[in-house]
Amino acid sequence: MEHNQEFFLKIYNLMDERYGEQNWWPADTAFEVVLGAILTQNTNWNNVEQSIKNLKKEIILTPQNILNIEDEKLKDLIKPSGFYNQKAERLKIISSFIIEKLGCDIKNIKEYPLITGRRMLLNLKGVGEETADSILLYAADIPSFVIDKYTMRMFYRIGFDIDMKYRKYYEIFMDNLPHDVKLFKQYHALIVENSKLFCRKKAVCKGCPLERTCLKKY
DNA sequence: AGCCAGGCCTGCC
DNA sequence: GGCAGGCATGGC
């Protein structure tokens, strides 16, 4: 299907006017964004909040403090967000990465070109494309567009091919939008907001700002 | 009561 | 390189 910058900005404006400023990502620090990005993998944000609250009650959220927690203790604290065995390991892996390669601050990943920083994150066990892009965008303020299941479902309904994968979506969004951090943050947040209301699997699109084009089943 | 949630890894092919 | 199966809790 035909797509250009005007197309993507039009959809952005429709949602932006309807839903307003979303102020993503909800977190006090950049490192808290990193933790949330791991914890929210295939998990409701509500559960993540519970885990973060548990962690905050126990420690100040720094990479070193995460590393210092006993494994079993860490698993226990993040239990509400599920998959706690693998997520505990992933939190430790990315924490030591931040300490060893980034001088304890995820924002220092800015010193690398986007492609390089992105690859460094992707090389970590437990960090896939969406998690990497979420961290780059929302923790480090680097314009790397975040794709997720909602994005693909919504734009499939608008007319994109069913077999398009993350990488293809990523390329299209990166190629057809100005690389602006604020725009990228708000765009992804708006997609999630709209999808929660209108584009769940079995939902009908009536009332969706994209109603006229969003007619397909997923 | 099942389905879903802001995915990713492994082990096959 | 693509895909099924596993990972686990909590909300509706």
Side-chain angles (χ1 to χ4, degrees):
Chain A
M1 104 175 260
E2 194 81 18
H3 37 252
N4 53 34
Q5 182 158 319
E6 188 188 359
F7 170 80
F8 286 99
L9 288 177
K10 190 171 96 182
I11 289 174
Y12 174 85
N13 286 325
L14 280 170
M15 296 193 294
D16 190 56
E17 285 166 21
R18 170 173 285 228
Y19 302 121
E21 185 63 41
Q22 299 295 305
N23 290 316
W24 263 32
W25 186 297
D28 295 335
T29 63
F31 184 62
E32 189 180 325
V33 174
V34 174
L35 299 180
I38 300 287
L39 292 174
T40 197
Q41 289 170 355
N42 203 37
T43 301
N44 192 298
W45 183 255
N46 217 30
N47 296 32
V48 177
E49 280 188 324
Q50 190 53 243
S51 294
I52 303 250
K53 197 191 296 177
N54 290 346
L55 286 169
K56 280 181 167 173
K57 203 159 24 170
E58 196 73 16
I59 57 166
I60 294 177
L61 300 185
T62 66
Q64 193 58 58
N65 287 343
I66 291 292
L67 278 186
N68 289 343
I69 306 180
E70 202 71 26
D71 285 355
E72 292 309 311
K73 178 71 178 171
L74 181 57
K75 290 178 187 178
D76 192 49
L77 293 170
I78 65 171
K79 190 160 288 192
S81 42
F83 307 117
Y84 51 84
N85 288 307
Q86 34 181 285
K87 283 178 180 175
E89 184 191 8
R90 291 171 187 183
L91 292 183
K92 294 221 169 188
I93 290 173
I94 199 163
S95 292
S96 41
F97 166 75
I98 293 170
I99 292 169
E100 288 165 17
K101 307 287 184 186
L102 299 177
C104 297
D105 187 355
I106 184 63
K107 285 186 177 291
N108 287 334
I109 203 165
K110 277 183 170 175
E111 291 173 16
Y112 298 92
L114 165 58
I115 306 260
T116 310
R118 191 169 191 269
R119 185 142 311 282
M120 290 165 78
L121 290 172
L122 288 174
N123 283 337
L124 302 174
K125 185 174 167 190
V127 178
E129 299 197 272
E130 183 184 344
T131 306
D133 291 324
S134 299
I135 291 170
L136 290 169
L137 182 61
Y138 291 104
D141 293 319
I142 295 169
S144 193
F145 201 91
V146 178
I147 307 295
D148 65 354
K149 197 159 52 179
Y150 287 151
T151 312
M152 296 195 272
R153 186 185 303 158
M154 184 175 136
F155 281 83
Y156 165 66
R157 286 185 167 188
I158 291 171
F160 285 24
D161 293 336
I162 182 73
D163 58 344
M164 281 176 51
K165 300 296 184 285
Y166 193 107
R167 184 166 62 246
K168 184 65 180 167
Y169 275 97
Y170 182 75
E171 287 169 3
I172 292 179
F173 276 86
M174 292 297 281
D175 289 347
N176 290 283
L177 284 171
H179 288 195
D180 181 88
V181 172
K182 204 161 155 43
L183 172 70
F184 278 17
K185 286 182 175 178
Q186 171 74 347
Y187 207 145
H188 175 65
L190 287 169
I191 289 170
V192 173
E193 180 67 14
N194 188 63
S195 296
K196 281 181 170 172
L197 295 175
F198 294 105
C199 293
R200 285 174 189 275
K201 233 175 192 171
K202 293 173 184 170
V204 177
C205 289
K206 191 161 178 53
C208 173
L210 307 171
E211 188 178 357
R212 274 173 297 177
T213 46
C214 188
L215 298 173
K216 298 188 179 185
K217 289 183 292 183
Y218 185 70

